[in-house]
Amino acid sequence: MAFGVVVLVTTTGCTMRHDRPDDAGAAPRVLPDESVCRAAELSATAEDRGSLMSNTKTQVVLTNTGTRQCALAGTVGLDGVRSDGSVVALETSTGTYFGEPAPSSGTLAPGDAAAFYLAGGRGCTAAVEGHRQTWSAVRVRLPSGGGSIDVRTRFDTVCGVAVSGIGRPDPDNDLG
Amino acid sequence: MRISALSRAARHFACASCVLLVAVLLQFWTTPARPAAAWPIEQHRGVDSCANESTSRMATLYQASPYGTYGFYIGGLTVNRSCPSHASFHNQAWANTVKAQGWNLQPIYSGRQPGCHPNTTVTYPISTNPTTAYSQGQSEGNDAIFQAYTRGIAGPIWLDMDIDIPDSYSCRPSVDNYIRGWMGAVRANAAYIPSLYTGYANANRAATFAVANRPYQVTIPHWNNIPGVYGGLPNLNRSYWTGHQRGHQYRGGHNESWGGLTFNVDNNCYDEYVHGSTNHSVYAPCVQ
């Protein structure tokens, strides 16, 4: 089940700010929730989880490497990072062929992990003709203003990309 | 000019020889006998998914959508890794319930995959030794039969050979042998119809396998939104699998809303055998 995006909108409430002439008519700033996980306190790894009926699956695991419990729920945004460092926003759809990860509590204690799926494909005409679209890294834009974190993966976006919500990582039930 | 009896006889002999020659040539590509009455041929559309859809959602999808066949996974090493709970979720009780709703089923098995594709990481590769690969195919083909049997499913079972291997790739002989082994094992059981889901290169080669190891029917992925099994599959040799033996996956995973619910599915167009429901309905025919 997808998690709704947790968004807390905080306004300053400071009358000085709203009385300043250069703020006249300006929308209130949206500040990130202090409880959300920041990119600096997460590590990200990508696991190729195979493909079925030409739908490809990569699981991105986000681990809390910080010292505090933080909130991590909702849906990420994605950019592709080229080898020269340039960044391309990736158009993503929500909901994947592989469903959603098992639901989590929405918070991560230090050392705990959450995950989301990237779903792509190899059945579109471009892929059938042998074309690919891979990146030096995929930049994961965290929900609720948590910043972004790059993850190295061979995930191919040539047929588009869909993302799941954030939940618990799939069990590692490889039979070896 | 009067035609002599001798030349008339010669023409008759030549005609008979032509008929015989055609008959001999047809043996090279013949449709193996199957109990047609047991398995309905469906010319219609369906979907496949790796989500764990409850029977209530399946009922809504059946009632609200134009789809008549549902593809799901019954097992295999790749299924266990990509969709860990899927195969166990779709047990015999689930299958019986959705068939009673009217669904035809496309049971899919996905095991080992080619390990020589340069752009893909495979956790369970097919052996690079062709002899071993053949044995692996046989073993997994027998497992597919078992998985189908425990779900009360007979008829066609699809092998999902997801990674298409061009003729020039080093593991092509092993991949072909794996497919031969799998198809041979399934074909050896008269209750099952060996079916292959794969890309153009694998499929065009599989069409030339010996009959005993050849897929009886194929489904090809080409997400071109052209739901036809000939016009929509431009790279599959038109002389192969011509007797209602083709399916086309014409659109990849995406959201669709039916009956107020959202489903993420591939779209398929079937002109081939599927596992029939007990309450069968006919839906829109697939464009040829």
Side-chain angles (χ1 to χ4, degrees), chain B residues 223-247:
Chain B
W223 301 348
N224 53 17
N225 259 325
I226 304 173
V229 296
Y230 286 93
L233 296 175
N235 298 344
L236 184 64
N237 191 311
R238 292 187 72 92
S239 65
Y240 296 158
W241 289 294
T242 57
H244 301 294
Q245 295 168 284
R246 293 176 167 222

PDB file of all heavy atoms in Angstrom, chain B residues 223-247:
ATOM      1  N   TRP B 223       6.112  -3.552 -26.967  1.00  0.00           N
ATOM      2  CA  TRP B 223       5.193  -2.564 -26.411  1.00  0.00           C
ATOM      3  C   TRP B 223       4.974  -1.436 -27.409  1.00  0.00           C
ATOM      4  O   TRP B 223       5.356  -0.282 -27.184  1.00  0.00           O
ATOM      5  CB  TRP B 223       5.744  -2.037 -25.083  1.00  0.00           C
ATOM      6  CG  TRP B 223       5.942  -3.103 -24.060  1.00  0.00           C
ATOM      7  CD1 TRP B 223       5.487  -4.394 -24.086  1.00  0.00           C
ATOM      8  CD2 TRP B 223       6.680  -2.966 -22.834  1.00  0.00           C
ATOM      9  NE1 TRP B 223       5.888  -5.067 -22.963  1.00  0.00           N
ATOM     10  CE2 TRP B 223       6.606  -4.219 -22.162  1.00  0.00           C
ATOM     11  CE3 TRP B 223       7.369  -1.920 -22.237  1.00  0.00           C
ATOM     12  CZ2 TRP B 223       7.208  -4.448 -20.930  1.00  0.00           C
ATOM     13  CZ3 TRP B 223       7.975  -2.146 -21.011  1.00  0.00           C
ATOM     14  CH2 TRP B 223       7.897  -3.400 -20.365  1.00  0.00           C
ATOM     15  N   ASN B 224       4.333  -1.779 -28.500  1.00  0.00           N
ATOM     16  CA  ASN B 224       4.089  -0.795 -29.557  1.00  0.00           C
ATOM     17  C   ASN B 224       2.634  -0.371 -29.630  1.00  0.00           C
ATOM     18  O   ASN B 224       2.241   0.344 -30.555  1.00  0.00           O
ATOM     19  CB  ASN B 224       4.536  -1.368 -30.916  1.00  0.00           C
ATOM     20  CG  ASN B 224       3.910  -2.729 -31.204  1.00  0.00           C
ATOM     21  OD1 ASN B 224       2.922  -3.105 -30.576  1.00  0.00           O
ATOM     22  ND2 ASN B 224       4.494  -3.465 -32.150  1.00  0.00           N
ATOM     23  N   ASN B 225       1.844  -0.822 -28.676  1.00  0.00           N
ATOM     24  CA  ASN B 225       0.414  -0.489 -28.640  1.00  0.00           C
ATOM     25  C   ASN B 225      -0.324  -0.875 -29.915  1.00  0.00           C
ATOM     26  O   ASN B 225      -1.324  -0.232 -30.249  1.00  0.00           O
ATOM     27  CB  ASN B 225       0.211   0.994 -28.342  1.00  0.00           C
ATOM     28  CG  ASN B 225      -0.163   1.218 -26.883  1.00  0.00           C
ATOM     29  OD1 ASN B 225      -0.858   0.409 -26.277  1.00  0.00           O
ATOM     30  ND2 ASN B 225       0.310   2.317 -26.324  1.00  0.00           N
ATOM     31  N   ILE B 226       0.190  -1.874 -30.593  1.00  0.00           N
ATOM     32  CA  ILE B 226      -0.500  -2.420 -31.768  1.00  0.00           C
ATOM     33  C   ILE B 226      -0.919  -3.827 -31.391  1.00  0.00           C
ATOM     34  O   ILE B 226      -0.153  -4.783 -31.564  1.00  0.00           O
ATOM     35  CB  ILE B 226       0.429  -2.444 -33.002  1.00  0.00           C
ATOM     36  CG1 ILE B 226       0.983  -1.056 -33.284  1.00  0.00           C
ATOM     37  CG2 ILE B 226      -0.334  -2.966 -34.217  1.00  0.00           C
ATOM     38  CD1 ILE B 226       2.034  -1.030 -34.383  1.00  0.00           C
ATOM     39  N   PRO B 227      -2.140  -4.004 -30.880  1.00  0.00           N
ATOM     40  CA  PRO B 227      -2.544  -5.312 -30.350  1.00  0.00           C
ATOM     41  C   PRO B 227      -2.889  -6.327 -31.419  1.00  0.00           C
ATOM     42  O   PRO B 227      -4.018  -6.765 -31.539  1.00  0.00           O
ATOM     43  CB  PRO B 227      -3.755  -4.972 -29.488  1.00  0.00           C
ATOM     44  CG  PRO B 227      -4.330  -3.756 -30.117  1.00  0.00           C
ATOM     45  CD  PRO B 227      -3.178  -2.975 -30.661  1.00  0.00           C
ATOM     46  N   GLY B 228      -1.907  -6.704 -32.201  1.00  0.00           N
ATOM     47  CA  GLY B 228      -2.111  -7.698 -33.249  1.00  0.00           C
ATOM     48  C   GLY B 228      -0.985  -8.708 -33.215  1.00  0.00           C
ATOM     49  O   GLY B 228       0.157  -8.375 -32.892  1.00  0.00           O
ATOM     50  N   VAL B 229      -1.275  -9.941 -33.565  1.00  0.00           N
ATOM     51  CA  VAL B 229      -0.264 -10.989 -33.455  1.00  0.00           C
ATOM     52  C   VAL B 229       0.515 -11.189 -34.750  1.00  0.00           C
ATOM     53  O   VAL B 229       1.441 -11.996 -34.798  1.00  0.00           O
ATOM     54  CB  VAL B 229      -0.905 -12.323 -33.011  1.00  0.00           C
ATOM     55  CG1 VAL B 229      -1.483 -12.169 -31.613  1.00  0.00           C
ATOM     56  CG2 VAL B 229      -1.964 -12.795 -33.995  1.00  0.00           C
ATOM     57  N   TYR B 230       0.139 -10.429 -35.782  1.00  0.00           N
ATOM     58  CA  TYR B 230       0.949 -10.434 -36.997  1.00  0.00           C
ATOM     59  C   TYR B 230       1.448  -9.019 -37.260  1.00  0.00           C
ATOM     60  O   TYR B 230       2.643  -8.764 -37.234  1.00  0.00           O
ATOM     61  CB  TYR B 230       0.160 -10.997 -38.188  1.00  0.00           C
ATOM     62  CG  TYR B 230       0.004 -12.486 -38.102  1.00  0.00           C
ATOM     63  CD1 TYR B 230      -1.121 -13.061 -37.509  1.00  0.00           C
ATOM     64  CD2 TYR B 230       0.993 -13.333 -38.576  1.00  0.00           C
ATOM     65  CE1 TYR B 230      -1.254 -14.434 -37.391  1.00  0.00           C
ATOM     66  CE2 TYR B 230       0.875 -14.711 -38.468  1.00  0.00           C
ATOM     67  CZ  TYR B 230      -0.259 -15.245 -37.871  1.00  0.00           C
ATOM     68  OH  TYR B 230      -0.371 -16.607 -37.751  1.00  0.00           O
ATOM     69  N   GLY B 231       0.549  -8.120 -37.495  1.00  0.00           N
ATOM     70  CA  GLY B 231       0.958  -6.735 -37.724  1.00  0.00           C
ATOM     71  C   GLY B 231       1.649  -6.109 -36.527  1.00  0.00           C
ATOM     72  O   GLY B 231       2.493  -5.231 -36.674  1.00  0.00           O
ATOM     73  N   GLY B 232       1.323  -6.582 -35.352  1.00  0.00           N
ATOM     74  CA  GLY B 232       1.925  -6.016 -34.151  1.00  0.00           C
ATOM     75  C   GLY B 232       3.250  -6.642 -33.790  1.00  0.00           C
ATOM     76  O   GLY B 232       3.934  -6.163 -32.883  1.00  0.00           O
ATOM     77  N   LEU B 233       3.627  -7.685 -34.495  1.00  0.00           N
ATOM     78  CA  LEU B 233       4.891  -8.390 -34.229  1.00  0.00           C
ATOM     79  C   LEU B 233       5.701  -8.441 -35.515  1.00  0.00           C
ATOM     80  O   LEU B 233       5.882  -9.491 -36.139  1.00  0.00           O
ATOM     81  CB  LEU B 233       4.606  -9.805 -33.718  1.00  0.00           C
ATOM     82  CG  LEU B 233       3.880  -9.907 -32.372  1.00  0.00           C
ATOM     83  CD1 LEU B 233       3.563 -11.359 -32.044  1.00  0.00           C
ATOM     84  CD2 LEU B 233       4.709  -9.275 -31.264  1.00  0.00           C
ATOM     85  N   PRO B 234       6.228  -7.307 -35.938  1.00  0.00           N
ATOM     86  CA  PRO B 234       6.876  -7.241 -37.259  1.00  0.00           C
ATOM     87  C   PRO B 234       8.147  -8.065 -37.372  1.00  0.00           C
ATOM     88  O   PRO B 234       8.560  -8.392 -38.490  1.00  0.00           O
ATOM     89  CB  PRO B 234       7.183  -5.744 -37.406  1.00  0.00           C
ATOM     90  CG  PRO B 234       7.272  -5.227 -36.010  1.00  0.00           C
ATOM     91  CD  PRO B 234       6.265  -6.021 -35.228  1.00  0.00           C
ATOM     92  N   ASN B 235       8.770  -8.396 -36.249  1.00  0.00           N
ATOM     93  CA  ASN B 235      10.050  -9.099 -36.311  1.00  0.00           C
ATOM     94  C   ASN B 235       9.938 -10.595 -36.067  1.00  0.00           C
ATOM     95  O   ASN B 235      10.960 -11.278 -35.973  1.00  0.00           O
ATOM     96  CB  ASN B 235      11.033  -8.491 -35.300  1.00  0.00           C
ATOM     97  CG  ASN B 235      11.333  -7.029 -35.613  1.00  0.00           C
ATOM     98  OD1 ASN B 235      11.055  -6.551 -36.706  1.00  0.00           O
ATOM     99  ND2 ASN B 235      11.867  -6.331 -34.632  1.00  0.00           N
ATOM    100  N   LEU B 236       8.728 -11.114 -35.941  1.00  0.00           N
ATOM    101  CA  LEU B 236       8.536 -12.556 -35.829  1.00  0.00           C
ATOM    102  C   LEU B 236       8.199 -13.096 -37.205  1.00  0.00           C
ATOM    103  O   LEU B 236       7.254 -12.625 -37.853  1.00  0.00           O
ATOM    104  CB  LEU B 236       7.412 -12.874 -34.841  1.00  0.00           C
ATOM    105  CG  LEU B 236       7.170 -14.363 -34.566  1.00  0.00           C
ATOM    106  CD1 LEU B 236       8.389 -15.003 -33.901  1.00  0.00           C
ATOM    107  CD2 LEU B 236       5.932 -14.553 -33.685  1.00  0.00           C
ATOM    108  N   ASN B 237       8.981 -14.063 -37.637  1.00  0.00           N
ATOM    109  CA  ASN B 237       8.793 -14.637 -38.966  1.00  0.00           C
ATOM    110  C   ASN B 237       7.327 -15.036 -39.167  1.00  0.00           C
ATOM    111  O   ASN B 237       6.760 -15.794 -38.384  1.00  0.00           O
ATOM    112  CB  ASN B 237       9.697 -15.861 -39.110  1.00  0.00           C
ATOM    113  CG  ASN B 237       9.764 -16.372 -40.535  1.00  0.00           C
ATOM    114  OD1 ASN B 237       8.728 -16.554 -41.186  1.00  0.00           O
ATOM    115  ND2 ASN B 237      10.970 -16.607 -41.020  1.00  0.00           N
ATOM    116  N   ARG B 238       6.720 -14.529 -40.227  1.00  0.00           N
ATOM    117  CA  ARG B 238       5.286 -14.719 -40.421  1.00  0.00           C
ATOM    118  C   ARG B 238       4.899 -16.173 -40.697  1.00  0.00           C
ATOM    119  O   ARG B 238       3.730 -16.546 -40.593  1.00  0.00           O
ATOM    120  CB  ARG B 238       4.794 -13.833 -41.559  1.00  0.00           C
ATOM    121  CG  ARG B 238       4.826 -12.346 -41.254  1.00  0.00           C
ATOM    122  CD  ARG B 238       4.182 -11.528 -42.340  1.00  0.00           C
ATOM    123  NE  ARG B 238       2.737 -11.669 -42.355  1.00  0.00           N
ATOM    124  CZ  ARG B 238       1.909 -10.863 -41.694  1.00  0.00           C
ATOM    125  NH1 ARG B 238       2.378  -9.875 -40.958  1.00  0.00           N
ATOM    126  NH2 ARG B 238       0.596 -11.044 -41.763  1.00  0.00           N
ATOM    127  N   SER B 239       5.889 -16.972 -41.063  1.00  0.00           N
ATOM    128  CA  SER B 239       5.574 -18.369 -41.346  1.00  0.00           C
ATOM    129  C   SER B 239       5.622 -19.244 -40.102  1.00  0.00           C
ATOM    130  O   SER B 239       5.310 -20.430 -40.159  1.00  0.00           O
ATOM    131  CB  SER B 239       6.540 -18.922 -42.396  1.00  0.00           C
ATOM    132  OG  SER B 239       7.858 -18.946 -41.861  1.00  0.00           O
ATOM    133  N   TYR B 240       6.019 -18.662 -38.967  1.00  0.00           N
ATOM    134  CA  TYR B 240       6.109 -19.432 -37.733  1.00  0.00           C
ATOM    135  C   TYR B 240       4.845 -19.264 -36.889  1.00  0.00           C
ATOM    136  O   TYR B 240       4.274 -18.171 -36.812  1.00  0.00           O
ATOM    137  CB  TYR B 240       7.315 -18.966 -36.905  1.00  0.00           C
ATOM    138  CG  TYR B 240       8.660 -19.199 -37.551  1.00  0.00           C
ATOM    139  CD1 TYR B 240       9.764 -18.450 -37.173  1.00  0.00           C
ATOM    140  CD2 TYR B 240       8.850 -20.177 -38.529  1.00  0.00           C
ATOM    141  CE1 TYR B 240      11.015 -18.644 -37.730  1.00  0.00           C
ATOM    142  CE2 TYR B 240      10.089 -20.381 -39.103  1.00  0.00           C
ATOM    143  CZ  TYR B 240      11.177 -19.615 -38.706  1.00  0.00           C
ATOM    144  OH  TYR B 240      12.414 -19.823 -39.262  1.00  0.00           O
ATOM    145  N   TRP B 241       4.461 -20.320 -36.220  1.00  0.00           N
ATOM    146  CA  TRP B 241       3.321 -20.299 -35.298  1.00  0.00           C
ATOM    147  C   TRP B 241       2.119 -19.610 -35.925  1.00  0.00           C
ATOM    148  O   TRP B 241       1.657 -18.555 -35.491  1.00  0.00           O
ATOM    149  CB  TRP B 241       3.699 -19.604 -33.993  1.00  0.00           C
ATOM    150  CG  TRP B 241       4.628 -20.420 -33.160  1.00  0.00           C
ATOM    151  CD1 TRP B 241       4.349 -21.613 -32.569  1.00  0.00           C
ATOM    152  CD2 TRP B 241       5.998 -20.139 -32.873  1.00  0.00           C
ATOM    153  NE1 TRP B 241       5.465 -22.077 -31.910  1.00  0.00           N
ATOM    154  CE2 TRP B 241       6.492 -21.208 -32.076  1.00  0.00           C
ATOM    155  CE3 TRP B 241       6.846 -19.098 -33.189  1.00  0.00           C
ATOM    156  CZ2 TRP B 241       7.791 -21.247 -31.609  1.00  0.00           C
ATOM    157  CZ3 TRP B 241       8.141 -19.137 -32.719  1.00  0.00           C
ATOM    158  CH2 TRP B 241       8.610 -20.198 -31.946  1.00  0.00           C
ATOM    159  N   THR B 242       1.596 -20.242 -36.950  1.00  0.00           N
ATOM    160  CA  THR B 242       0.516 -19.626 -37.706  1.00  0.00           C
ATOM    161  C   THR B 242      -0.864 -20.173 -37.358  1.00  0.00           C
ATOM    162  O   THR B 242      -1.859 -19.607 -37.776  1.00  0.00           O
ATOM    163  CB  THR B 242       0.743 -19.831 -39.212  1.00  0.00           C
ATOM    164  OG1 THR B 242       0.851 -21.247 -39.459  1.00  0.00           O
ATOM    165  CG2 THR B 242       2.033 -19.149 -39.665  1.00  0.00           C
ATOM    166  N   GLY B 243      -0.945 -21.254 -36.618  1.00  0.00           N
ATOM    167  CA  GLY B 243      -2.229 -21.882 -36.337  1.00  0.00           C
ATOM    168  C   GLY B 243      -2.784 -21.497 -34.978  1.00  0.00           C
ATOM    169  O   GLY B 243      -2.931 -22.355 -34.092  1.00  0.00           O
ATOM    170  N   HIS B 244      -3.114 -20.229 -34.797  1.00  0.00           N
ATOM    171  CA  HIS B 244      -3.597 -19.739 -33.493  1.00  0.00           C
ATOM    172  C   HIS B 244      -2.594 -20.108 -32.402  1.00  0.00           C
ATOM    173  O   HIS B 244      -2.942 -20.716 -31.387  1.00  0.00           O
ATOM    174  CB  HIS B 244      -4.972 -20.318 -33.162  1.00  0.00           C
ATOM    175  CG  HIS B 244      -6.017 -19.978 -34.168  1.00  0.00           C
ATOM    176  ND1 HIS B 244      -6.463 -18.695 -34.378  1.00  0.00           N
ATOM    177  CD2 HIS B 244      -6.683 -20.765 -35.049  1.00  0.00           C
ATOM    178  CE1 HIS B 244      -7.372 -18.701 -35.352  1.00  0.00           C
ATOM    179  NE2 HIS B 244      -7.523 -19.935 -35.777  1.00  0.00           N
ATOM    180  N   GLN B 245      -1.374 -19.747 -32.635  1.00  0.00           N
ATOM    181  CA  GLN B 245      -0.299 -20.101 -31.730  1.00  0.00           C
ATOM    182  C   GLN B 245       0.528 -18.888 -31.307  1.00  0.00           C
ATOM    183  O   GLN B 245       1.702 -19.020 -30.963  1.00  0.00           O
ATOM    184  CB  GLN B 245       0.619 -21.124 -32.411  1.00  0.00           C
ATOM    185  CG  GLN B 245      -0.059 -22.458 -32.699  1.00  0.00           C
ATOM    186  CD  GLN B 245       0.771 -23.317 -33.619  1.00  0.00           C
ATOM    187  OE1 GLN B 245       0.826 -23.078 -34.831  1.00  0.00           O
ATOM    188  NE2 GLN B 245       1.428 -24.316 -33.055  1.00  0.00           N
ATOM    189  N   ARG B 246      -0.080 -17.701 -31.334  1.00  0.00           N
ATOM    190  CA  ARG B 246       0.653 -16.475 -31.034  1.00  0.00           C
ATOM    191  C   ARG B 246      -0.064 -15.628 -30.010  1.00  0.00           C
ATOM    192  O   ARG B 246      -1.299 -15.549 -29.978  1.00  0.00           O
ATOM    193  CB  ARG B 246       0.793 -15.620 -32.308  1.00  0.00           C
ATOM    194  CG  ARG B 246       1.665 -16.201 -33.383  1.00  0.00           C
ATOM    195  CD  ARG B 246       1.634 -15.300 -34.612  1.00  0.00           C
ATOM    196  NE  ARG B 246       2.689 -15.667 -35.551  1.00  0.00           N
ATOM    197  CZ  ARG B 246       3.452 -14.811 -36.209  1.00  0.00           C
ATOM    198  NH1 ARG B 246       3.275 -13.506 -36.026  1.00  0.00           N
ATOM    199  NH2 ARG B 246       4.372 -15.228 -37.035  1.00  0.00           N
ATOM    200  N   GLY B 247       0.757 -14.947 -29.214  1.00  0.00           N
ATOM    201  CA  GLY B 247       0.239 -13.911 -28.341  1.00  0.00           C
ATOM    202  C   GLY B 247       1.163 -12.709 -28.440  1.00  0.00           C
ATOM    203  O   GLY B 247       2.326 -12.825 -28.841  1.00  0.00           O
TER     204      GLY B 247
END
